[in-house]
Each structure stands twice: as structure tokens, then as C-alpha cells.
Amino acid sequence: MDLPLIFMMLMGVSVLAYVVLDGYDLGVGMLMPAASAAEQSVMVSSIGPFWDANETWLVLGVGILLVAFPLAHGVVLGALYLPVVAMLVGLMFRGVAFELRMKALGWHRELWNWLFWAGSFLASFAQGFMLGRYITGFERGFGFLLFSAIVGASVCGGYVLLGATWLVVKTEGELQRKALGWSRWGLLWVALGVGLVSLATPMVSETVRAKWFDFPRTLALMVLPAACLWAGFIVWRSTGRIARHQGSPDWQPFAAAVAIFAISFLGLAYSLYPYVVIDRLTIWEAAAHPSSLKVVLVGAAIVLPFIVAYTAISYRVFRGKAKGGLYD
Amino acid sequence: MDDPLLLARAQFGLNIAFHILFPSLTIALAWILLGFRVAYHRTGEAGWLKTYKLWTKIFALTFAMGVVTGIVMSFQFGTNWPGFMNRVGAIAGPLLGYEVLTAFFLEATFLGVMLFGMNRVPPWAHIGATALVAAGTSLSAFWILALNSWMQTPAGHVLDAGQWIAGDWIAVIFNPSFPYRFTHMMIASGLTASFVVAGLSAWRLLKAPADAMARRTLRVGVLVAAVLAPVQAVVGDFHGLNTLEHQPAKIAAMEAIWHTEKGVPLVLFAVPNAKTRTNDYAIEIPYGASLILKHDANAELQGLDAFGADHPPVAPVFFAFRIMVGIGVLMIAVSWFTAWVTRRDAQAPRWLLWTLAGFTFSGWVATVSGWIVTEIGRQPWLVHGLLRTSEAVGDISGAELGVSLTGYALTYAALFAAYMVVLTHMAGEGAEAAAAKALPGASPAGAAAD
């Protein structure tokens, strides 16, 4: 049994789960300034029961990195030290603002609203920035920093897309109509970001270039961008159809947005494999002692199905359209 | 202040000290909430429902503070102490992993149902969700204390190619100090939560003396504390004896015993002087330390001189220990006295309410002091006898550590201020209305029902 490979996949699944799940609630946070006070209350209610559990996937992802690839944990988080701090400060303000904004009054509420938005934005941008640094192997220099900043902005766009399509699922009436518009803006932003990043990545990394331009495999790989384009098209079409009441189900834009993320993630995984730190550490070089991997795998195999099951229960309990005032 | 080891320790210390405030409240508060929830289910009284809702809000806020500061820690293990993971990661990793898998998801997911699901699920499911949140917080404490205790009193490990790995997981988890430390911490959480409940209820009663529910919750808090505080003293004594057996240098620092000798006095107060290796301004009880630690007035105790340079700094451990014990003694006095005064539902006098309000966060001070004793008392070891703290520190530059330390400190100060303002605001919320309403008929039941 190839334990490091299994843990790499497990970590990939956790990170993808985190990005999609916390992505939508970070996205909702970034969209707050575009809504009225009453709409903000509904928006917050739509993510209220879930955000705690969503963030736990980040702890699991980082936990697996720490437990299964301790060498990489040190290298990656050491190189990303300051963006990690920025992300954590963003997440902290945001998480606490979430609880405080409804309990505060007057200018205090305004302040927490602002911190909720700013924290969501800072955390999202920092995550994208870290991804950019990670892909480029933490190279220093202006070009690499610019690349990372573009990835940061793209991830913000992606989260806005997830957040907006989530609101399409969870809201109705005027707010849903607004969310449909935000979804399209988010989609354009994502298209621009994914396009730029796809063009730039082979230029900044020789390893990725070699993996992508390796005929005839390149032709088979074209499935990924094609699927991504198709998912984007579905977002565009279904948001239009929902706006015109032409019978597209309200979950379709969100599902397609999740597909965009999953496909991009697969592409990224393909580009980086078998490295956990590009050009420096493979997953086997960075892996922890097999004894600890085995113990954690047994636990994960037993517990993960339960986690998935009760997460599903929680989403079932809170199904349907969100109403405001959950926190009052 | 550009020594990376010192900065890494300062940063990590700030982080865990800030983090532990919130779990130490939520672990036990979750069980108290379950009690409120069941009380409402049994009696159907609106007052219990209102109480439950108020305290779930406080719980949710505290839990969120714990989550966000806890995420920071999962990053800092690797960034500040890479040597820790390289050398003992095969033991620490799985324990942390099991905490995330078995506890974090459980509590975070069912917290949603507990907070927002009351009208969406049947009562048994809502009570079940509340119970699962409580179980999750306690389970989380179980894994973390197993790891921390293993770092204090390692057991069940074997060396394999330069790494310590687990030879026997049962021995690793149930290492010699684990039962004592776990019990001590769970009771500490019980005391922290019960004094917060009693203190905030007292705060409310000062504003709305007729609030019958606040009077009830004050009594819940005081009674829980009155039971737990003396038990904690006994558990603490056993914990100390266990420490004497496994980490005698820590005990020597706690009691400021510089030289190995017989018939050691108990130092009540002193200013330990690390230069002369003696105590200045000491007030002592002759034979006291020998009597308490060995139950024999003439017994010999190892002094710090027995450990060469391998002992912790004395002053912080010595003072933190005295603060913890001092608060513990005051907790026994305050809880017993209040329990006696408020028997048969009597109203506590205002000066006593002020005292209880002043003791609201006494559990925090005692808990953090206790952790300072046990963590600084472990130095210079990170894992006692296996790994030194200086061997585990990473190569993050002093500048990066300085910038991030400043960032964290400012963030924590802002969050803490906001947390305290909102907590006291929630505790007093509606108190004026309740007081005004209660005036005409002055009926406690009327105040409870609104």
C-alpha cells in the first residue's frame, strides 16, 4: 500500500472540500457591501449554521500536511509565513465579526460589518497569493510576486462566484435576482483569472511546462480546459434561465461553479504531482514515519464516513431558503 | 529581543495562552447548557428556554474565538517548531489528527444544529445535538491533554532511525501524568464556566434584582463551583505528587527549593533570586514542603542544584503556582459562602453580588497560571528527557517573527476587548426592562416569563 500517495489524495480532498465550502461563505462575506441591511441579514443566515464546520476542513488539510508530510509542512508554511499570518488574521476577524455584528449596535455594527467584509477579502486573497507562491516554488522576484497577486485576485473572484451561486440556492426574490447578476460578474472574473493563470503557469514553471506540453498526452489533457469551459457555460446559461423563470433548478449554477473548482484543482494536481514542494520534495521524500501514517489512516477510514454523514444531515436540516434574523 | 528562540516561544506562548481561555470556558459550559436544555424540556418553563438561548449565544461567541485562535495553532506547530514534528511527529501527529477527526467536525457541525436548529428538528434531536457538542469539546480536550501529558511524562515510545515513534499507543495516551492532568483540566474548566455563569448572573442581578432566572443560574453556578473547588484541591495535590515523581525539577521550581535538603520549609512568599540561587524576603512554614510532598516532616527533597543547568526558570513558575493556588482557595471560600447565604432561594446581598461579579473570570487567571506552571516548568525540555526546546525551533527570521508577533498581539487585543464588551452587554441586556416590569407586582415569576 502506497501510504504517502493515499495521504496526498486525502489531503487533496480536504483542501478541495475546504476551498469549495469555506469558499462560498468567504464569497458571501465579500459580497456583503453590495447588499442592503435586510439582505445582509439573510446572507449571513444562509451561512450561519455551516461556517464553523467549513473552516474545520482547513484544519484537517493543514493537519494532514503536518502529520503526513512534516518536512513539507515546515518548508511550505515557513516560506509562506507572512501570507499565512495575513490569512489567519483575516479569518479571525471574520469569524468573530460573524458573531459580533448581530450583537452590536450603531457604529459598532457598521465596524463589524466592515471587518467581516475585510476579513473575508484578506483571507481569500492571501489564500490565492499563497497558491501562486506555491506553484512557483517560492521563487523571489517581482514577476513571481505579480503572478501570485494575480492568482490571489482570481481566487477572490472564484469565491465570489461560489458565494453568489450559493445565494442563488439559498435566497429568493430580489436578493436572488441580485445574486444571479453577481454570479455572472464572478464568472467573468474567474474566466479572466483562470485564463491568465493557465497562460502564465507554464511560463513561470519549467516543470509544469514539461508536464503540459508532452504530445500526445497534451491532447488528452485538453479535456480539462474543455470541461471547465463547459461548466462556465452552464453557469452563464442557468443563471439566465433562472432569471427568466425558464425552469433551470436553482442549484445548477452552484453545482457548475463547484465543477469549475474541481476541474481546476485536478489540473493543478496533475501539474504538481508527484511533488509536495515543487522541484524540491516529492510526496515520498516528505512523508512521515509509516507507523504514524497507518494509525491516522485507520482513524480516518473509520471517522470520515461519519463526518460526511452528519455533514449531510446538517445540510438537510437547514435545507431550503434562508430567512433573515437567524441571529436575533 | 531578536533571539529567534525567545521570539518563537513568546509568540507560541501568547497564542496558546490566548487560545486556552476559550476552550477552558466552552468545555464545561457545553455540559451546563445541556443541563439548561434538559431543564427546559422537562419543565416547559419559558425561563429555562430564555436562559438556554442567552447562554448558547455566549457559548457560540466563545466557541468562535476558540476556533479562530485554534486554527492559528495548527499552523504554528510546524512553523515555529519544525524540530518537534521531525523528532516526535510520529506520536504528536496522530494525536492531533485524531482530535480533528473525532472532535472538531463533531462539535462544529452539531453547533449549527444546536444554535439554529431548534425549530427544525424534534426536541430529542436538538438535545442530542447539544449533547454531541458537549461530547466533542470534551473529546478534543482528551486528545490535546494526552499529547501534552506525553510531552511532560513520555511513555510507550521507541527510537527508530532518529525519530521517536509509538511502540504502544495505549501507553502513549495513558502516560503517567495523563489521568491527573486531564482530570485537573476538566475540573478547571468546570470552575471557569461555573464562575462565569455565577458572575454574569450576579452582574445581571445588580441591574435587575427581581430577575428570577438570573437568581437560579447564579445558584447553578455557585453550587457547581462549591462541589468542584474542593475536589480540585485534592486532585491538584495528587497531580503535584505525580509531578514530584516524574518531573522533580518542576516541583523544585514551583516551591523555590534551591538546594537538596531534609525537612524543607514551605515557602509561602519570597522573591526567588536566580543570581544568588536563594530566596529573598522569604516567609516560610518550617518542614511544610516535606510534609506536603512526602507526607513526612523530615523527608529529603531534591533542590534545583540536583539538576545542574537543566531546570526551568524559577520566578515565573513559583509566582504562577502561588496565583493559581491562591485563586483556588478564594474560589472555595466564595462558592461555599454564597451557597450558604443563598440557601432556600434567598437573595444575595449586593456586596456579595459585586464579589461574584469580580470573580467572573477568576477561572481564566487560575487556568492560565496553571498552564504557565506546567509549560514553563517543563523547560528546557519540549518533550521531557527526549527533545529540548532549543533543538526544535525553526529558521523563521527574527524580523518575520517580530512582525507576526506584533500582528497577533494587536489582533488578540482587539478581539479580546470586543469579546468582553459583548459578553457583559449580553449579560445585562434587557435587564432594565426586566427591572421596570417587575416593579408593579414585584413578582419574580413575571420577570422570568418575559
Side-chain angles (χ1 to χ4, degrees), chain A residues 198 202-203 208-215 217-218 221-222:
Chain A
S198 302
M203 284 195 266
V208 173
R209 185 163 64 224
K211 289 206 82 167
W212 276 91
F213 299 101
D214 173 21
F215 289 95
R217 214 192 289 172
T218 305
L221 283 173
M222 285 302 126

Side-chain angles (χ1 to χ4, degrees), chain A residues 7 33 64 78 94 121 131 141 211 225 269 279 283 288:
Chain A
F7 271 89
I64 295 176
R94 176 179 176 277
F121 184 75
L131 176 63
K211 289 206 82 167
D279 299 336
I283 53 176

Side-chain angles (χ1 to χ4, degrees), chain A residues 220-302:
Chain A
L221 283 173
M222 285 302 126
V223 170
L224 289 178
C228 207
L229 273 176
W230 184 75
F233 168 71
I234 294 290
V235 173
W236 190 267
R237 197 189 60 173
S238 57
T239 46
R241 289 174 66 97
I242 293 168
R244 294 190 301 272
H245 304 287
Q246 286 174 341
S248 275
D250 58 10
W251 51 263
Q252 213 171 40
F254 183 69
V258 171
I260 293 177
F261 268 85
I263 295 160
S264 306
F265 192 83
L266 269 180
L268 195 63
Y270 172 81
S271 308
L272 298 177
Y273 180 85
Y275 290 109
V276 64
V277 180
I278 193 161
D279 299 336
R280 272 197 267 177
L281 273 178
T282 67
I283 53 176
W284 297 280
E285 288 164 349
H289 198 278
S291 70
S292 77
L293 292 183
K294 266 181 214 155
V295 172
V296 178
L297 187 62
V298 170
I302 296 171

Side-chain angles (χ1 to χ4, degrees), chain B residues 85-438:
Chain B
M85 291 313 290
N86 292 344
R87 295 290 300 284
V88 300
I91 288 170
L95 294 176
L96 291 169
Y98 271 73
E99 188 200 14
V100 178
L101 287 169
T102 61
F104 280 1
F105 280 104
L106 191 71
E107 46 187 356
T109 307
F110 286 102
L111 180 68
V113 180
M114 172 179 145
L115 288 177
F116 309 117
M118 205 165 183
N119 301 322
R120 288 174 174 261
V121 295
W124 65 263
H126 190 246
I127 292 172
T130 310
L132 282 172
V133 170
T137 52
S138 295
L139 204 53
S140 167
F142 173 90
W143 292 113
I144 282 299
L145 283 150
L147 173 55
N148 184 275
S149 298
W150 184 82
M151 289 161 65
Q152 309 276 354
T153 55
H157 52 281
V158 288
L159 194 60
D160 182 86
Q163 276 194 64
W164 294 100
I165 67 166
D168 175 359
W169 275 108
I170 297 299
V172 167
I173 294 169
F174 296 95
N175 60 76
S177 67
F178 173 71
Y180 302 97
R181 186 169 283 102
F182 181 63
T183 315
H184 200 44
M185 181 60 201
M186 293 306 275
I187 298 176
S189 174
L191 284 168
T192 303
S194 54
F195 270 93
V196 167
V197 170
L200 289 184
S201 305
W203 177 247
R204 194 177 176 87
L205 283 173
L206 284 167
K207 291 186 161 189
D211 189 331
M213 276 324 288
R215 202 185 292 185
R216 263 191 188 170
T217 48
L218 180 137
R219 209 150 151 77
V220 169
V222 164
L223 288 180
V224 172
V227 173
L228 290 181
V231 175
Q232 183 72 317
V234 176
V235 171
D237 182 50
F238 277 111
H239 191 11
L241 295 179
N242 177 267
T243 308
L244 178 66
E245 190 185 337
H246 297 278
Q247 294 172 294
K250 187 191 285 186
I251 291 286
M254 280 156 68
E255 302 294 358
I257 304 168
W258 293 94
H259 308 286
T260 304
E261 54 192 355
K262 290 183 178 170
V264 183
L266 178 68
V267 183
L268 287 181
F269 180 82
V271 179
N273 189 328
K275 279 206 184 105
T276 60
R277 300 182 71 84
T278 52
N279 295 324
D280 300 340
Y281 316 109
I283 302 168
E284 300 173 335
I285 298 175
Y287 307 106
S290 289
L291 206 57
I292 289 176
L293 289 163
K294 295 265 172 144
H295 300 173
D296 168 9
N298 283 311
E300 185 178 270
L301 285 176
Q302 276 188 315
L304 292 157
D305 58 354
F307 308 98
D310 279 352
H311 67 74
V314 178
V317 177
F318 175 84
F319 285 119
F321 181 65
R322 265 142 200 81
I323 292 171
M324 179 187 76
V325 172
I327 291 175
V329 171
L330 290 175
M331 280 175 154
I332 296 177
V334 169
S335 61
W336 279 50
F337 183 73
T338 315
W340 183 73
V341 168
T342 59
R343 71 192 184 282
R344 288 195 285 278
D345 206 26
Q347 177 76 292
R350 282 186 78 81
W351 66 267
L352 188 55
L353 292 178
W354 276 113
T355 308
L356 280 171
F359 266 77
T360 306
F361 299 108
S362 55
W364 277 356
V365 182
T367 305
V368 170
S369 302
W371 278 108
I372 287 174
V373 171
T374 208
E375 296 295 88
I376 294 186
R378 190 190 54 224
Q379 305 301 327
W381 300 103
L382 185 54
V383 181
H384 188 86
L386 301 184
L387 180 67
R388 284 169 190 276
T389 312
S390 57
E391 294 171 291
V393 73
D395 54 2
I396 304 291
S397 72
E400 277 184 305
L401 279 167
V403 169
S404 53
L405 178 59
T406 314
Y408 284 128
L410 292 175
T411 304
Y412 290 166
L415 293 182
F416 191 68
Y419 174 83
M420 295 303 268
V421 167
V422 171
L423 206 62
T424 42
H425 171 73
M426 280 197 290
E429 203 173 23
E432 286 80 5
K437 241 184 203 171

Side-chain angles (χ1 to χ4, degrees), chain B residues 45-47 50 210-213 430 433-450:
Chain B
E45 278 179 44
K50 208 177 156 199
D211 189 331
M213 276 324 288
K437 241 184 203 171
L439 274 178
S443 124
D450 63 25

Side-chain angles (χ1 to χ4, degrees), chain A residues 48-60 62-63 66-67 70-71 73-74 77-82 84-85 87-89 91-100 103-105 108 112 130 140 287-289 291-300 303-304 307 310-311 313-314 316-323 326-328, chain B residues 11 18 57-58 60-61 63-65 67-80 82 85-86 89-98 100-117 120-121 160 163 165-166 169 396 400-401 403-404 407-408 410-412 414-415 418-419 421-422 425-426 429:
Chain A
F50 309 113
W51 77 270
D52 256 333
N54 292 349
E55 258 174 34
T56 308
W57 289 97
L58 177 65
V59 180
L60 183 64
V62 174
L66 180 72
V67 173
L71 282 178
H73 187 276
L77 298 185
L80 297 176
Y81 199 73
L82 291 182
V84 164
V85 174
M87 175 190 78
L88 293 173
V89 168
L91 286 178
M92 278 194 270
F93 272 113
R94 176 179 176 277
V96 175
F98 202 94
E99 298 292 333
L100 292 181
K103 287 152 192 159
L105 296 166
H108 280 257
W112 287 114
M130 288 191 282
R140 292 185 187 273
H289 198 278
S291 70
S292 77
L293 292 183
K294 266 181 214 155
V295 172
V296 178
L297 187 62
V298 170
V303 180
L304 273 176
I307 294 175
Y310 60 65
T311 303
I313 291 175
S314 153
R316 202 177 145 65
V317 166
F318 295 103
R319 68 188 179 281
K321 302 292 181 186
K323 300 275 183 289
L326 204 51
Y327 278 78
D328 301 334
Chain B
Q11 186 183 81
F18 190 61
K57 277 186 194 170
I58 292 173
L61 176 62
F63 189 86
M65 297 283 282
V67 168
V68 295
T69 54
I71 293 176
V72 177
M73 295 186 59
S74 67
F75 284 86
Q76 285 191 348
F77 281 122
T79 52
N80 291 29
M85 291 313 290
N86 292 344
I91 288 170
L95 294 176
L96 291 169
Y98 271 73
V100 178
L101 287 169
T102 61
F104 280 1
F105 280 104
L106 191 71
E107 46 187 356
T109 307
F110 286 102
L111 180 68
V113 180
M114 172 179 145
L115 288 177
F116 309 117
R120 288 174 174 261
V121 295
D160 182 86
Q163 276 194 64
I165 67 166
W169 275 108
I396 304 291
E400 277 184 305
L401 279 167
V403 169
S404 53
Y408 284 128
L410 292 175
T411 304
Y412 290 166
L415 293 182
Y419 174 83
V421 167
V422 171
H425 171 73
M426 280 197 290
E429 203 173 23

Side-chain angles (χ1 to χ4, degrees), chain A residues 89-167:
Chain A
V89 168
L91 286 178
M92 278 194 270
F93 272 113
R94 176 179 176 277
V96 175
F98 202 94
E99 298 292 333
L100 292 181
R101 60 176 290 282
M102 279 303 165
K103 287 152 192 159
L105 296 166
W107 67 270
H108 280 257
R109 179 174 284 199
E110 288 305 308
L111 175 69
W112 287 114
N113 264 337
W114 185 82
L115 280 170
F116 184 57
W117 171 81
S120 303
F121 184 75
L122 180 63
S124 309
F125 183 81
Q127 286 175 8
F129 188 83
M130 288 191 282
L131 176 63
R133 303 282 297 133
Y134 180 73
I135 296 175
T136 54
F138 316 115
E139 293 275 359
R140 292 185 187 273
F142 179 74
F144 294 107
L145 286 181
L146 183 69
F147 174 77
S148 303
I150 293 174
V151 180
S154 309
V155 166
C156 290
Y159 287 175
V160 164
L161 172 65
L162 280 172
T165 51
W166 169 258
L167 290 174

